[in-house]
């Protein structure tokens, strides 16, 4: 689908890029200047660029920590082990796969191997948002979803077309449980058409199916 490679490409580029240009320059500057001197200039003024970079790094670390706590999405959903019948049903349709926590867990594990787990995380966050009724909680969760999955600055940005992004931007003026409905549907369709066929041919699915089949025969 159009634009589906852009967030993944950005993540790969970020993985091979040094953490911050400021950090490298600061290391080169160590030893050439006194301990009271700043790393980018000879003065000790509080408004110089090195302090700006440092403050940005600290703020980014605080924000990441806050988002991880606020997001509250576990590594996997609690669910009983799937039965052979359930795993066979996953092959019948993507809807049946997504209806069960065990199916979502297995599919999410596969998405992680393709560096596209954010698609499932976004879908799950939208489902959680739909269950809220408190206005202030809805607004806060909508803001976090936007920052985590819609913002072009986020490493977890999902792939959406311009029309859907415009809808989201309008909806964010007054967030509700359905602010991301169009986006959620687009990501659901993307997972269905793009990732689901590969999941069905993956070792993750085949190994699970074989394991349950062997247990069934032994029983």
């Amino acid at each position: 689908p159009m634009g589906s490679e852009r967030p993944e490409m950005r993540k790969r580029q970020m993985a091979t890029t040094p953490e911050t240009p400021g950090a490298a320059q600061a290391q080169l500057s160590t030893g050439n200047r006194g301990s009271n001197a700043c790393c980018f200039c000879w003065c000790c003024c509080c408004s110089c660029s090195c302090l700006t970079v440092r403050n940005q790094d600290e703020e980014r670390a605080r924000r990441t920590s806050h988002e991880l706590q606020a997001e509250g999405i576990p590594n996997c959903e609690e669910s009983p082990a799937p039965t052979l019948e359930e795993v066979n049903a996953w092959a019948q349709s993507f809807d049946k796969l997504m209806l069960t926590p065990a199916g979502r867990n297995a599919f999410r594990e596969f998405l992680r191997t393709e560096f596209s787990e954010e698609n499932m995380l976004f879908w799950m966050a939208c489902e959680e948002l739909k269950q809220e009724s408190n206005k202030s909680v809805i607004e806060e969760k909508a803001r976090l979803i936007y920052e985590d999955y819609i913002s072009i600055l986020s490493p977890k940005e999902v792939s959406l077309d311009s029309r859907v992004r415009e809808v989201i931007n309008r909806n964010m003026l007054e967030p509700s449980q359905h602010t991301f409905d169009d986006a959620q549907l687009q990501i659901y369709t993307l997972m269905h058409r793009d990732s689901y066929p590969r999941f069905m041919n993956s070792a993750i699915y085949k190994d699970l199916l074989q394991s349950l089949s062997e247990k069934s025969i032994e029983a």
Side-chain angles (χ1 to χ4, degrees):
M2 184 178 299
S4 62
E5 297 180 357
R6 181 164 55 88
E8 287 77 8
M9 184 177 299
R10 183 183 301 117
K11 283 184 288 186
R12 295 192 184 96
Q13 291 173 343
M14 291 175 65
T16 58
T17 302
E19 293 182 358
T20 59
Q25 293 184 37
Q27 291 176 358
L28 292 174
S29 301
T30 302
N32 295 332
R33 296 169 185 174
S35 59
N36 292 330
C38 119
C39 56
F40 288 110
C41 59
W42 290 104
C43 70
C44 296
C45 61
C46 62
S47 60
C48 63
S49 58
C50 65
L51 293 180
T52 301
V53 171
R54 187 183 310 137
N55 290 338
Q56 289 175 344
D57 290 342
E58 292 174 354
E59 176 61 28
R60 187 181 300 112
R62 284 196 298 270
R63 180 177 177 274
T64 301
S65 175
H66 167 72
E67 288 180 352
L68 287 174
Q69 294 173 5
E71 186 177 41
I73 297 178
N75 288 331
C76 62
E77 295 180 79
E78 293 184 5
S79 69
T83 64
L84 178 59
E85 183 181 0
E86 287 177 326
V87 175
N88 277 320
W90 299 349
Q92 296 173 13
S93 73
F94 184 59
D95 291 340
K96 290 185 178 181
L97 168 70
M98 292 290 283
L99 278 175
T100 65
R104 292 192 293 272
N105 283 336
F107 187 53
R108 181 175 168 185
E109 181 183 351
F110 169 74
L111 292 177
R112 193 177 295 124
T113 67
E114 292 202 332
F115 305 99
S116 58
E117 184 185 13
E118 67 275 1
N119 289 331
M120 178 64 82
L121 293 176
F122 171 68
W123 186 88
M124 292 170 62
C126 291
E127 287 296 293
E128 184 179 322
L129 178 65
K130 290 178 181 178
Q131 306 305 314
E132 293 294 342
S133 57
N134 184 286
K135 189 174 186 296
S136 60
V137 174
I138 289 172
E139 291 177 349
E140 175 65 10
K141 287 192 173 184
R143 182 184 64 80
L144 289 174
I145 290 174
Y146 188 94
E147 292 179 356
D148 281 348
Y149 304 109
I150 309 302
S151 172
I152 61 174
L153 300 178
S154 173
K156 296 186 293 183
E157 177 198 2
V158 296
S159 180
L160 300 170
D161 62 35
S162 58
R163 180 193 65 81
V164 171
R165 287 183 175 278
E166 289 175 2
V167 170
I168 292 174
N169 289 334
R170 289 197 300 268
N171 290 344
M172 285 299 292
L173 296 175
E174 191 173 347
S176 72
Q177 300 101 316
H178 304 288
T179 293
F180 303 100
D181 281 3
D182 286 355
Q184 186 186 19
L185 177 59
Q186 189 166 97
I187 293 303
Y188 188 92
T189 303
L190 175 64
M191 291 191 293
H192 182 189
R193 294 178 178 175
D194 187 51
S195 303
Y196 173 64
R198 291 197 299 274
F199 169 71
M200 297 311 304
N201 290 312
S202 70
I204 290 176
Y205 177 74
K206 290 181 178 180
D207 289 349
L208 178 59
L209 184 61
Q210 181 178 352
S211 174
L212 292 173
S213 296
E214 291 173 353
K215 289 180 180 180
S216 176
I217 294 173
E218 292 174 359

